[in-house]
Amino acid sequence: MLKIFQRLFDVNLKEVEVLQPVVEEVNSFEPETARLSDEELAAKTPEFKLRLLKGSLLDELLPEALAVIRESIKRTVNQRAFDVQLMAAITLHKGRVAEQKTGEGKTLSAALAAYVNALLGKGVHIVTTNDYLARIGTGWYGRALTKLGLKVACIIHEEAFIYDPKFFLQDEVDNRLAHLSPISRKEAYEADVTYGTNNEFGFDYLRDNLVPDVLEMVQRGHHYAIVDEVDSILIDEARTPLIISAPDTEPTKKYYEFARLISSLSPDTDYTSDEKTKTVNLSEHGIRKLEKILNVDNLYEKDFETIHHVENALKARVHFLRDRDYVIKDNQVVIVDEFTGRLMFGRRWSEGLHQAVEAKENVPI
């Protein structure tokens, strides 16, 4: 009796039952698809695109298109998508969340859904958690997608690549990365499928909104995206906003002076700090001490900027720790991603905080 009730109220089971007929239809195309030559298999892509132009809906092509990309992946990297991976791909195609355990083939499911949605010619973004996975996805499943006539690219920090079977990097140890040919960022976005991290996609979007001429924009319209580790990217990392700051106009020596100045302040009497919000606030005692050191009657009235700089210098000392929040590499402060632990080259804290950390570490600002 208990199993009957569990079955009645199991939402996941109901979803699987809805997906099962589509999976069976995909499987029904497999024998026919397997008999196709490589040329005939590749010809399916322009055939699908023509059918779409004539009015067919993408959902109508879905089962056969999934069978085609499954066969291409099988031929290129020797992986045959199982029914559960097809279910995940169908779910992603519908714009919904699919949960798969480690080792269940998330990247394979993403490649399946990416092919189907790339048929519309509007571009597909696959959002990964780091640059390495973006490159691996491009170099591995790019083989199957390229075999079917699509262009597959990736964007990473200050670089962009396209999968090119004719290109070969002799010094590359990992064969999955050996066919990644350097291209411009704009060319990467013009590919049918583009892999990259959420930070790269986000910052390119912000930069595109700052260019004086639309011809300088690198992204095209946003059509369809698949987000890996969606809970991490849309919940955890969403707490950290992407900000593009204008170059700082403050004299750099000021930051070094404030870094030295705060050594005279005591956490017991001169300021309070909050580890959770990473904030520091000067106490009345601390303000009076600063006014005496700086020979100023009233900091709030005459030199409010000083309070901002002092609090930034204190934040840099108290809350931003070397080898935890950042590392020093090539005499530069490089932020460490708090979720992945990876170095975030090119990222800077805003509102003078990054300069405060640089001054604390006595590196060039």
Side-chain angles (χ1 to χ4, degrees):
M1 182 66 74
L2 181 61
K3 287 184 178 180
I4 293 173
F5 278 109
Q6 285 176 336
R7 191 177 180 83
L8 280 172
F9 296 104
D10 190 336
V11 177
N12 189 61
L13 183 60
K14 289 178 181 177
E15 290 293 332
V16 170
E17 289 173 348
V18 171
L19 295 170
Q20 191 60 47
V22 186
V23 171
E24 289 173 3
E25 194 174 352
V26 176
N27 290 333
S28 72
F29 282 103
E30 187 169 23
E32 177 188 339
T33 306
R35 287 193 294 269
L36 297 174
S37 66
D38 286 352
E39 291 75 18
E40 290 171 328
L41 190 68
K44 281 292 181 180
T45 298
E47 178 193 317
F48 291 146
K49 290 183 176 182
L50 184 60
R51 285 162 63 181
L52 287 167
L53 283 173
K54 289 182 176 180
S56 293
L57 298 176
L58 198 56
D59 285 348
E60 295 171 350
L61 303 181
L62 179 65
E64 187 178 1
L66 285 175
V68 167
I69 180 59
R70 175 163 73 175
E71 181 63 26
S72 185
I73 291 173
K74 182 181 175 183
R75 294 185 189 186
T76 52
V77 298
N78 198 29
Q79 292 178 342
R80 178 189 175 276
F82 295 113
D83 287 1
V84 290
Q85 291 162 332
L86 290 173
M87 287 183 180
I90 296 164
T91 303
L92 293 173
H93 165 70
K94 292 180 177 180
R96 304 171 75 177
V97 176
E99 183 179 10
Q100 291 173 275
K101 295 179 182 177
T102 302
E104 284 189 344
K106 290 184 292 184
T107 49
L108 174 53
S109 297
L112 295 169
Y115 172 73
V116 175
N117 287 274
L119 292 171
L120 291 170
K122 297 179 181 179
V124 169
H125 293 167
I126 299 182
V127 185
T128 65
T129 53
N130 59 66
D131 288 344
Y132 175 73
L133 290 178
R135 294 169 69 214
I136 287 294
T138 306
W140 189 241
Y141 292 110
R143 304 176 186 196
L145 294 164
T146 302
K147 192 179 185 71
L148 294 176
L150 299 185
K151 292 182 178 180
V152 185
C154 67
I155 53 166
I156 61 174
H157 179 62
E158 295 184 350
E159 292 181 285
F161 301 92
I162 192 166
Y163 177 79
D164 182 357
K166 295 178 182 177
F167 175 85
F168 186 76
L169 194 61
Q170 294 286 348
D171 298 333
E172 181 56 63
V173 177
D174 192 334
N175 186 53
R176 294 172 297 179
L177 306 177
H179 297 285
L180 298 186
S181 176
I183 55 172
S184 71
R185 225 163 174 80
K186 190 177 182 69
E187 288 174 310
Y189 279 112
E190 288 170 353
D192 297 289
V193 178
T194 307
Y195 285 81
T197 65
N198 59 309
N199 285 335
E200 295 302 323
F201 285 123
F203 276 117
D204 282 341
Y205 174 78
L206 292 176
R207 280 189 284 265
D208 276 356
N209 279 274
L210 294 174
V211 296
D213 191 328
V214 291
L215 295 176
E216 296 179 35
M217 296 174 69
V218 295
Q219 291 187 347
R220 51 173 167 163
H222 303 98
H223 166 60
Y224 177 82
I226 297 170
V227 183
D228 188 16
E229 302 289 353
V230 68
D231 53 342
S232 172
I233 289 174
L234 295 188
I235 298 175
D236 297 334
E237 293 198 33
R239 293 184 303 156
T240 306
L242 301 182
I243 300 171
I244 291 183
S245 304
D248 187 41
T249 57
E250 289 279 351
T252 54
K253 67 174 185 177
K254 262 195 171 187
Y255 293 101
Y256 296 112
E257 290 169 0
F258 286 116
R260 289 191 294 271
L261 178 65
I262 62 165
S263 61
S264 62
L265 300 179
S266 167
D268 298 323
T269 57
D270 299 326
Y271 61 88
T272 58
S273 63
D274 188 321
E275 179 63 35
K276 187 176 180 180
T277 59
K278 290 193 173 183
T279 55
V280 175
N281 294 297
L282 287 165
S283 66
E284 282 296 321
H285 187 274
I287 291 170
R288 298 287 86 79
K289 183 184 282 189
L290 282 175
E291 288 172 345
K292 189 175 291 186
I293 294 171
L294 298 171
N295 196 26
V296 176
D297 294 336
N298 191 319
L299 273 176
Y300 279 100
E301 287 183 2
K302 297 184 179 179
D303 200 358
F304 189 75
E305 276 292 305
T306 295
I307 295 176
H308 171 73
H309 283 299
V310 168
E311 290 183 346
N312 260 350
L314 285 169
K315 270 196 272 186
R317 184 174 78 176
V318 176
H319 295 307
F320 291 82
L321 306 181
R322 184 171 179 170
D323 297 329
R324 186 194 73 176
D325 301 295
Y326 63 90
V327 298
I328 303 299
K329 193 173 180 65
D330 298 328
N331 220 22
Q332 292 183 326
V333 171
V334 181
I335 299 173
V336 175
D337 190 305
E338 64 176 304
F339 304 106
T340 64
R342 290 181 171 83
L343 301 184
M344 303 171 74
F345 294 99
R347 289 285 297 273
R348 293 178 65 84
W349 289 299
S350 60
E351 299 179 346
L353 177 59
H354 203 93
Q355 291 91 328
V357 175
E358 289 171 329
K360 179 185 85 169
E361 295 293 346
N362 200 31
V363 299
I365 294 175

